[in-house]
Amino acid sequence: MNRFSSNWIVVEVGFCIAAWALFRSKWFKSFFSKLWLPYPPGPAAKNWIAGNISEIPVENQWFLFTEWSKIYGDLTYFRALHQHFIVINKLEVAIELFEKRSNNYSSRPHATMVDLMGWDFNSGLKPYGNIWRNQRRLLQQYLKPEATRSYQTTQVQKIHDMLLQLLESPNDFMNHVQHSSGSIIMATMYGHDVQTKDDPYTKIAGLALDRLAIALFPGAYLVNTISALRLLPKWLPGCAEFNNFAVETRTLTDKMRNDPVEKVQQLRGTSGERRCIAGNMLENCRSDDELEDIKCVCATMYAGGADTTISSVQTFFYAMANYYDVQSKAQEEIDRVVGRERLPSFEDRPSMPYSEAIVREILRWRPLTPLGVAHTSSDEDIYEGYYIPKGTALMPNIWCMTRDPAKYDDPETFNPSRFFNPDGTLNDDDLNYGFGFGRRICPGRHFAKATVWLSVVSVLATFDIRKKKDATGKDIPVDQAYTQGLFSRPMPFECAITPRSEATTALLRDAIAHRD
Ligand code: HEM
């Protein structure tokens, strides 16, 4: 072999190694994937710049996405301007991406209005990273199953208060439920006793939450899509409106975060001090940074817990007014396990599978977040031969999953019996996916389920829920509308709520009179 050919061999080998390295490199895979792999199936973009914007309705998007799932399958891709969206229609796919590949799918889409309004304190809206991780750790510490047991006394008391209010003004049940669930979370978080609808803390938090829902509504503010708009002078047409809205909201979010914790600090060591999560956190607080984290985490828990359980308990009233057979079956279980000599307590829960199944069915039948809360991909990815770009917003179509014909026969009927095995035990479908997925799964789920369960059994132990009757004695149908947006909540509706017996009413009054 001469020198010339041996040089060539070196060059060829070097070339092959370089080509192999290039082929294996992230850059090449990314370049190749972008060039050759398709996005998941979805409707063709109507407009080259706007993408599919014109096809996405502002209301009930989950209905359209569920229809699309019949055409496009488990994943549906669409685009709005430069933002890629993927709707996940199948539970197994959501588990694969959000849980098995959670390193990549645990971030949140960024909305500029969230920062401008001061809502960026909320751990639930933070991108995946160390700040979120630290706050999440704190959240979980206080919301894990063992910890939630210590909040049971508050749950029992506030739910008994609700029963008393139902007794006094049954027609106002929507407000009583709202008051009860809101005051459970306020008392648990800050030891604060909510007395009236005009309570300053709940009022401010309610206003701040309403404004968040408005600002996050798709298409509500262009600055969420084109972030650079926030840099334009405020006097320019269109800029004043979103800037003013943001500044006014920031006053509310600052108060929501600071005021209740400052009150807990003031009351420490006085006779007004109450046991609460904020108080426990403050005991271990060593610096201003930690204090700031505590304020953020407490307000995040309040924001996450205030409106959510309310909606599920209101759905329960709606379901009971339509399904008397379910109601009687649950009351039979209550009478058998609890009897008529006392009110239900958390100790009864393991012996009451039917009421547990009612809670699951509430979460399935009318999911609170029909499109979950979107996660974003931190990096590009390939799934089943489809290309998923970095920064894609992925929405779990919980509405579609709760109507999967392979799992749920006759899905529009409220039927808790679907959660039982043939041998009479509860099946494995605990509807946890109604609380989201992976590292972002709702940390308040144990607390929320406990509140909903106790509300269900306490109300059914003491009251019958029926349709109202018209002047001719005929049932007035209860056909319920739900709100739009991230949270789908029942709109006000009517039903007749009457005490089951004088004995249960007396039990209730007695329980309230003799509480510790
Ligand atoms: C029936 C009641 C509730 C339902 C259906 C519900 C549902 C959800 C869902 C779907 C998510 C998004 C999960 C994801 O991104 O995959 C979530 C997140 C969250 N929930 Fe809940 N939730 C409820 C009650 C509560 C309660 C009572 C609390 C607090 C005490 C709470 C605190 C939170 C927080 C802090 C997050 C953000 C988690 C994060 O991004 O790391 N939730 N919830």
Side-chain angles (χ1 to χ4, degrees):
M1 194 186 294
N2 62 27
R3 236 178 101 206
F4 182 73
S5 59
S6 69
N7 278 351
W8 263 112
I9 291 173
V10 172
V11 170
E12 279 172 21
V13 170
F15 179 79
C16 288
I17 292 173
W20 176 245
L22 179 70
F23 179 70
R24 300 276 302 171
S25 74
K26 213 176 155 201
W27 177 86
F28 183 83
K29 275 187 197 160
S30 158
F31 180 75
F32 175 81
S33 319
K34 267 186 213 149
L35 212 59
W36 298 107
L37 292 182
Y39 296 129
K46 289 259 155 76
N47 178 298
W48 185 68
I49 296 176
N52 304 87
I53 280 186
S54 61
E55 284 158 274
I56 311 300
V58 285
E59 295 192 342
N60 290 325
Q61 294 165 344
W62 46 93
F63 292 154
L64 174 73
F65 295 156
T66 302
E67 282 310 303
W68 279 358
S69 76
K70 293 173 193 156
I71 307 169
Y72 304 114
D74 297 348
L75 295 176
T76 310
Y77 169 87
F78 67 90
R79 179 172 64 82
L81 295 169
H82 60 276
Q83 177 64 56
H84 304 278
F85 288 92
I86 290 177
V87 183
I88 303 178
N89 301 308
K90 206 163 177 69
L91 178 61
E92 289 70 20
V93 180
I95 290 173
E96 172 63 37
L97 296 181
F98 293 146
E99 301 195 348
K100 299 199 180 136
R101 302 187 191 187
S102 57
N103 263 342
N104 194 38
Y105 293 101
S106 296
S107 204
R108 291 279 191 228
H110 177 249
T112 304
M113 277 302 272
V114 167
D115 302 348
L116 296 178
M117 296 189 308
W119 261 110
D120 51 344
F121 75 80
N122 187 316
S123 327
L125 301 171
K126 281 195 189 301
Y128 190 53
N130 282 341
I131 300 180
W132 168 78
R133 213 173 275 116
N134 289 340
Q135 294 190 353
R136 173 87 194 190
R137 212 171 286 133
L138 208 53
L139 276 167
Q140 285 190 165
Q141 188 184 334
Y142 288 93
L143 289 172
K144 60 187 177 195
E146 311 88 77
T148 52
R149 262 176 234 125
S150 58
Y151 318 136
Q152 289 180 349
T153 311
T154 306
Q155 286 167 309
V156 171
Q157 289 185 355
K158 298 292 173 193
I159 288 169
H160 285 178
D161 289 347
M162 175 182 76
L163 300 181
L164 196 62
Q165 289 165 341
L166 288 175
L167 207 55
E168 285 161 2
S169 49
N171 288 341
D172 218 7
F173 73 97
M174 292 290 273
N175 281 331
H176 299 329
V177 171
Q178 184 164 5
H179 182 84
S180 150
S181 302
S183 52
I184 287 175
I185 189 89
M186 258 296 169
T188 311
M189 291 309 313
Y190 303 112
H192 172 68
D193 206 10
V194 178
Q195 293 290 348
T196 64
K197 271 194 266 177
D198 293 323
D199 179 83
Y201 298 148
T202 50
K203 207 169 173 181
I204 285 169
L207 288 171
L209 275 161
D210 287 348
R211 282 166 166 258
L212 177 69
I214 294 171
L216 288 187
F217 205 77
Y221 286 102
L222 196 58
V223 68
N224 281 335
T225 320
I226 306 170
S227 171
L229 289 180
R230 76 185 192 285
L231 304 171
L232 295 179
K234 296 186 177 44
W235 48 262
L236 276 180
C239 293
E241 193 217 338
F242 78 76
N243 272 301
N244 291 343
F245 187 83
V247 170
E248 285 161 23
T249 313
R250 187 173 271 278
T251 317
L252 296 171
T253 47
D254 284 351
K255 281 182 88 54
M256 169 184 181
R257 212 172 62 246
N258 296 324
D259 290 4
V261 172
E262 282 165 13
K263 186 80 191 174
V264 175
Q265 281 178 308
Q266 279 167 22
L267 291 176
R268 285 182 81 191
T270 72
S271 59
E273 182 174 3
R274 299 274 174 278
R275 280 198 59 204
C276 60
I277 294 182
N280 286 351
M281 286 183 180
L282 285 170
E283 272 169 27
N284 303 314
C285 175
R286 301 279 168 268
S287 66
D288 285 351
D289 282 351
E290 282 182 19
L291 178 62
E292 200 42 45
D293 268 350
I294 290 172
K295 288 179 176 175
C296 294
V297 167
C298 289
T300 296
M301 283 199 215
Y302 179 76
D307 269 9
T308 43
T309 36
I310 296 173
S311 174
S312 298
V313 178
Q314 289 172 342
T315 291
F316 153 72
F317 278 90
Y318 169 45
M320 293 305 105
N322 279 294
Y323 293 91
Y324 296 175
D325 53 331
V326 173
Q327 198 175 152
S328 319
K329 217 165 163 185
Q331 285 173 329
E332 270 166 34
E333 181 180 77
I334 293 167
D335 291 346
R336 183 165 29 82
V337 176
V338 181
R340 299 254 183 152
E341 308 285 298
R342 63 178 178 88
L343 294 174
S345 73
F346 280 112
E347 281 71 49
D348 301 314
R349 197 169 168 188
S351 322
M352 298 173 75
Y354 193 73
S355 56
E356 199 68 48
I358 291 184
V359 177
R360 293 181 185 188
E361 186 65 342
I362 291 169
L363 294 165
R364 186 202 69 80
W365 192 55
R366 291 292 179 269
L368 172 76
T369 54
L371 289 176
V373 180
H375 294 209
T376 48
S377 49
S378 303
D379 209 343
E380 59 191 354
D381 193 16
I382 297 167
Y383 175 74
E384 299 277 314
Y386 297 121
Y387 178 62
I388 301 181
K390 176 178 175 173
T392 300
L394 294 103
M395 294 180 275
N397 190 351
I398 294 180
W399 182 265
C400 185
M401 295 172 194
T402 56
R403 269 120 190 101
D404 182 347
K407 275 198 201 120
Y408 306 113
D409 187 31
D410 191 11
E412 296 313 325
T413 300
F414 188 90
N415 175 18
S417 299
R418 66 175 85 247
F419 294 104
F420 286 92
N421 295 314
D423 67 0
T425 53
L426 278 170
N427 66 20
D428 293 338
D429 183 5
D430 57 8
L431 250 286
N432 245 5
Y433 66 88
F435 291 96
F437 298 92
R439 298 183 191 181
R440 288 284 189 168
I441 192 171
C442 173
R445 62 197 182 282
H446 309 293
F447 184 69
K449 275 189 177 178
T451 300
V452 178
W453 179 82
L454 192 67
S455 303
V456 166
V457 292
S458 304
V459 169
L460 290 182
T462 39
F463 293 96
D464 289 319
I465 302 167
R466 297 283 181 265
K467 292 186 182 69
K468 284 206 157 179
K469 301 227 180 260
D470 66 15
T472 65
K474 273 204 202 126
D475 282 347
I476 304 173
V478 186
D479 193 8
Q480 181 46 25
Y482 275 69
T483 61
Q484 306 300 315
L486 180 65
F487 294 142
S488 172
R489 305 192 197 97
M491 306 272 272
F493 64 97
E494 291 196 328
C495 60
I497 300 168
T498 48
R500 278 183 82 193
S501 70
E502 279 183 17
T504 47
T505 306
L507 269 180
L508 169 62
R509 292 196 189 280
D510 193 54
I512 290 175
H514 292 101
R515 75 172 43 145
D516 302 332

